[in-house]
Amino acid sequence: GAVVSQHPSWVICKSGTSVKIECRSLDFQATTMFWYRQFPKQSLMLMATSNEGSKATYEQGVEKDKFLINHASLTLSTLTVTSAHPEDSSFYICSASNLDRGYEQYFGPGTRLTVT
Amino acid sequence: DAKTTQPPSMDCAEGRAANLPCNHSTISGNEYVYWYRQIHSQGPQYIIHGLKNNETNEMASLIITEDRKSSTLILPHATLRDTAVYYCIVRVVLGTYKYIFGTGTRLKVLA
């Protein structure tokens, strides 16, 4: 399999501040990256899809001005939660894929965000 | 909406085979079935995938019915470390290849 990392693994921030989460594909070039959110005891919910060099495509109900996604290179995508509130507290997971690997998604370890 | 339905939970005795069912009755001809598992507070781990033939790898076997409306993941000799939430996913093509996660099955392997 391929290796995908996320940084930080956990973060605590105050309400109203912004938080950036990084997702890196370490051993392959990811033309497409995905961002998911997972609340406790629930399944993963797809937030957005980002293709390198293009604007992200957001799923219905996900605020694009609140969850800023940048995919500036084939190995790095970032998710910025702007003006975070306690209800944004969640487990954020990214995945990476490309054509050479049959578009199979390789998942990162996740980032636990707590907004106080 | 998820394209798969799975039982919410299952128990399995250690050393026995764990058979996890999944229904995907609305699957289209070019949509693959993927299985992942998620151990608490970690990212999902790939297990296996298939289109219409049965598949086997070092982790598991995947049995897909001839009409492709359901499948079964088989862990041949479950261990305590196999305790996890198992997700059956249909990979759809909507502009790009997306996974739509269902609710998954929480498998508990009992000593």
Side-chain angles (χ1 to χ4, degrees), chain A residues 84-97:
Chain A
H85 291 286
E87 57 265 31
D88 298 322
S89 298
S90 188
F91 193 50
Y92 291 87
I93 305 170
C94 73
S95 70
S97 73

Side-chain angles (χ1 to χ4, degrees), chain A residues 32 34 36 38 41-44 46 49 51 59 91 93 102-110 112, chain B residues 34 36 38 40-46 49 87 89 91 96-104 106:
Chain A
T32 305
F34 302 85
Y36 296 83
Q38 185 176 34
K41 302 205 173 188
Q42 293 188 24
S43 184
L44 281 74
L46 179 64
T49 303
N51 292 302
E59 295 297 303
F91 193 50
I93 305 170
Y103 293 115
E104 182 175 309
Q105 290 187 32
Y106 298 91
F107 287 85
R112 173 79 54 196
Chain B
Y34 278 76
Y36 282 75
Q38 186 179 28
H40 182 63
S41 293
Q42 296 182 24
Q45 175 192 21
Y46 168 81
H49 75 280
Y87 292 101
I89 301 161
R91 191 185 76 178
T96 186
Y97 293 86
K98 296 163 79 165
Y99 287 177
I100 307 297
F101 279 80
T103 53
R106 189 172 297 274

Side-chain angles (χ1 to χ4, degrees), chain A residues 39-59:
Chain A
F39 293 108
K41 302 205 173 188
Q42 293 188 24
S43 184
L44 281 74
M45 186 195 79
L46 179 64
M47 298 175 68
T49 303
S50 74
N51 292 302
E52 185 264 339
S54 303
K55 287 185 178 179
T57 301
Y58 291 80
E59 295 297 303

